[in-house]
Amino acid sequence: MANDPHPAKIAKASSKAEDPVRTAYFLELREYRTARAIGDFAAAWRHLERAHIAAQPRLWLHMGSHITMLAFAFSRRDMREMSGQLLRIALVPLGALTGRLPTGNTGRARISAFAPMPDDLQTYMRQDAP
């Protein structure tokens, strides 16, 4: 039975494919790239914000959302947003370790960390609850 695939690897691969958090995150990133490509920067930011909200339960996705926001802010030469994202990138691991992430905030420098999330994204957060 040396040719049998490892069940753990199969379970891990299938769980990623069915993970509603990852699905929402990557869908929003795709929409961000589309909006950015056509020059609709307000929509691009909205999709990055939504990607951030979806990513919050996953450390690496959450970190990736802030890195993407930083890169977009840099491309727009938005110094306020760049400095806000650098601070958030530094705080993400600490927030994850302490369990003190403000769930549902958009991740932008101009938005309160305690602003509520859109209703349609709350569904993904509830599905991910333990």
Side-chain angles (χ1 to χ4, degrees):
M1 296 200 182
N3 293 333
D4 289 343
H6 293 86
K9 287 183 181 178
I10 293 171
K12 186 175 181 179
S14 65
S15 69
K16 281 186 179 179
E18 299 168 9
D19 181 355
V21 170
R22 290 179 58 86
T23 300
Y25 175 72
F26 287 111
L27 173 66
E28 293 298 335
L29 284 184
R30 185 179 69 205
E31 295 297 322
Y32 150 73
R33 287 189 296 273
T34 300
R36 183 178 178 175
I38 63 172
D40 187 349
F41 301 124
W45 275 119
R46 272 193 312 279
H47 289 294
L48 282 178
E49 291 171 349
R50 291 172 57 81
H52 172 266
I53 292 167
Q56 282 182 307
R58 306 286 192 282
L59 175 62
W60 296 113
L61 294 181
H62 188 187
M63 183 70 76
S65 71
H66 284 293
I67 291 169
T68 304
M69 287 181 168
L70 174 63
F72 189 48
F74 182 80
S75 76
R76 306 292 306 143
R77 293 176 177 52
D78 183 341
M79 294 302 292
R80 178 180 177 196
E81 192 66 44
M82 284 189 283
S83 61
Q85 291 308 317
L86 287 170
L87 176 64
R88 284 162 174 76
I89 288 167
L91 293 177
V92 164
L94 181 62
L97 285 172
T98 63
R100 299 197 55 162
L101 292 172
T103 302
N105 88 27
T106 66
R108 294 283 306 276
R110 62 179 178 79
I111 302 293
S112 165
F114 303 101
M117 76 177 90
D119 289 339
D120 65 314
L121 290 176
Q122 289 180 20
T123 303
Y124 293 107
M125 304 302 279
R126 281 193 298 272
Q127 287 177 355
D128 190 56

